[in-house]
Amino acid sequence: MLSKGVAEKTRELRKLRGEELQGLDMEELMKLEKLLDGKLRRVVKTKDDKILKETDALKNKEAQLMEENARLRQETVDIAHGETNALPQGHSSLSITNYCISVHPPQGCNSFDTSLKLGLPFSN
């Protein structure tokens, strides 16, 4: 009796895998199609939910990065205008000046280096 149940479940599993479909009549094929369709809908829904969660997380990250970018731009403008209290802690005015010049090249300069060059603070 137990082996008969195992054999039946094995047959059902093969049907779900798409194996041994030749012996099925139209009604059995329709049942199998309906069963698979329901399972596929659950898979698609789960996938869609994950995509939405990832999209929301990326939008939040984008907003955070945009805020950080705006803050850093403002710091750069403040530093370029000589507001020394805007210097990040541990950075010399020379290293920040190098950064400002590389980000905002002088007028008429067609090529410029956008790298950030920060040095160690001067020790007196």
Side-chain angles (χ1 to χ4, degrees):
M1 187 166 176
L2 185 59
S3 63
K4 188 176 180 180
V6 170
E8 179 62 30
K9 292 296 178 186
T10 302
R11 243 186 330 276
E12 285 181 33
L13 184 58
R14 285 189 178 147
K15 288 178 189 176
L16 289 175
R17 289 184 184 159
E19 303 169 1
E20 298 183 14
L21 297 177
Q22 299 83 4
L24 299 178
D25 62 17
M26 187 57 85
E27 185 179 328
E28 290 173 318
L29 286 171
M30 288 173 65
K31 281 182 184 179
L32 182 59
E33 181 182 27
K34 186 176 181 180
L35 177 67
L36 291 173
D37 189 45
K39 291 178 188 264
L40 181 60
R41 280 192 202 129
R42 284 192 295 268
V43 169
V44 169
K45 182 174 179 356
T46 301
K47 181 187 79 169
D48 289 346
D49 290 346
K50 285 189 177 205
I51 288 172
L52 287 174
K53 284 180 184 177
E54 288 177 14
T55 302
D56 288 343
L58 288 172
K59 284 181 181 178
N60 289 337
K61 183 69 173 179
E62 177 189 30
Q64 289 173 349
L65 290 173
M66 289 177 76
E67 287 176 15
E68 178 72 6
N69 191 19
R71 184 186 63 77
L72 291 172
R73 281 179 198 248
Q74 186 59 48
E75 280 183 21
T76 304
V77 168
D78 293 346
I79 292 167
H81 289 102
E83 295 179 23
T84 56
N85 61 348
L87 286 175
Q89 196 174 34
H91 295 291
S92 70
S93 60
L94 179 60
S95 64
I96 297 299
T97 303
N98 288 342
Y99 170 70
C100 292
I101 290 171
S102 68
V103 172
H104 304 289
Q107 293 286 341
C109 181
N110 292 332
S111 65
F112 55 91
D113 180 17
T114 59
S115 63
L116 176 61
K117 298 175 185 175
L118 298 176
L120 296 173
F122 290 104
S123 58
N124 294 334

